[in-house]
Amino acid sequence: TEGSGESADFGFSLEEATLDDIEVIYIDEVTDIETRVYVENAIFSGQFSSDRFSMESAANIKSDFIEVSDVRYLGGKNLSYVAVIGVDMVNGVYKFKDVGINLEGNDFVVNGDITTIDKGNVFDLTIENSSGSVRSIFQLLPEEYLKKVGDIESTGSFLFKTTINGLMTEKSAPAIDMTMNLEDGVLK
């Protein structure tokens, strides 16, 4: 309040905001990440404040690329998501609960949080899918990795679980633990 040295929390309610045909470029020099995507359409809503808020969002996106330490991922790939993200601006925490992502026909669920600190970002995430194909998952790898893997064909259901834990800076990366299973299938 005025004169008391305290600040009033700013807030507003957003019933629905729509973005169509937007190019988004994101560069984070601390973590050496550069992203360029084309947002075909996106919808946002939520109860916003300057300290803490929850945002609902859904979008259809075409990835030009996501580059991490000079390695390009997801070049020319389609993705969509439906998310409710909890944001704590005071502590720099972004919470993800049952965030649904579809990447080139593969459905994933993301849970956990990312915390921003002076040195970089601290990850505590789990990414899982309940079905997919080995071939379509491998198509998400950078081109130089695909050349090493070759042309893989498979039958059956491909299950995937990844945890990402730790600090990401320009010079360090979080630990990534990945488990993959092929049920009732064959790799060729």
Side-chain angles (χ1 to χ4, degrees):
T1 60
E2 190 174 330
S4 69
E6 296 177 21
S7 65
D9 187 32
F10 172 77
F12 67 95
S13 176
L14 181 63
E15 189 172 313
E16 182 175 289
T18 304
L19 300 175
D20 289 312
D21 301 324
I22 304 286
E23 181 180 42
V24 176
I25 299 170
Y26 171 79
I27 299 171
D28 185 334
E29 292 176 353
V30 172
T31 57
D32 196 20
I33 295 174
E34 181 177 351
T35 302
R36 184 174 314 176
V37 297
Y38 174 74
V39 178
E40 295 170 354
N41 55 57
I43 298 172
F44 300 92
S45 64
Q47 301 290 323
F48 296 89
S49 76
S50 58
D51 291 342
R52 291 175 184 85
F53 57 89
S54 178
M55 178 180 70
E56 295 180 37
S57 177
N60 293 306
I61 299 170
K62 177 83 168 190
S63 171
D64 190 14
F65 64 85
I66 297 172
E67 187 172 288
V68 180
S69 301
D70 297 323
V71 177
R72 286 199 171 190
Y73 297 86
L74 306 180
K77 304 298 182 188
N78 294 306
L79 66 108
S80 61
Y81 71 83
V82 175
V84 176
I85 300 171
V87 180
D88 179 345
M89 299 299 287
V90 173
N91 297 305
V93 179
Y94 301 85
K95 291 199 172 286
F96 305 89
K97 180 159 175 40
D98 297 327
V99 173
I101 298 174
N102 181 287
L103 186 53
E104 290 289 317
N106 294 286
D107 291 318
F108 299 92
V109 175
V110 179
N111 284 291
D113 55 69
I114 299 173
T115 303
T116 301
I117 61 173
D118 289 339
K119 295 185 222 174
N121 297 316
V122 179
F123 286 79
D124 182 12
L125 295 176
T126 301
I127 304 167
E128 296 182 72
N129 82 331
S130 57
S131 67
S133 76
V134 172
R135 182 173 179 76
S136 64
I137 294 288
F138 276 20
Q139 293 304 309
L140 304 176
L141 295 173
E143 194 171 309
E144 63 255 25
Y145 298 168
L146 278 176
K147 290 176 185 172
K148 294 176 184 175
V149 172
D151 194 24
I152 290 182
E153 298 204 16
S154 69
T155 60
S157 184
F158 184 66
L159 308 176
F160 172 93
K161 180 176 181 179
T162 298
T163 57
I164 305 170
N165 289 297
L167 178 64
M168 180 167 203
T169 68
E170 189 173 350
K171 296 180 181 178
S172 69
I176 299 174
D177 182 31
M178 189 177 299
T179 303
M180 297 180 263
N181 294 311
L182 182 62
E183 287 187 353
D184 302 320
V186 176
L187 288 175
K188 300 176 189 178

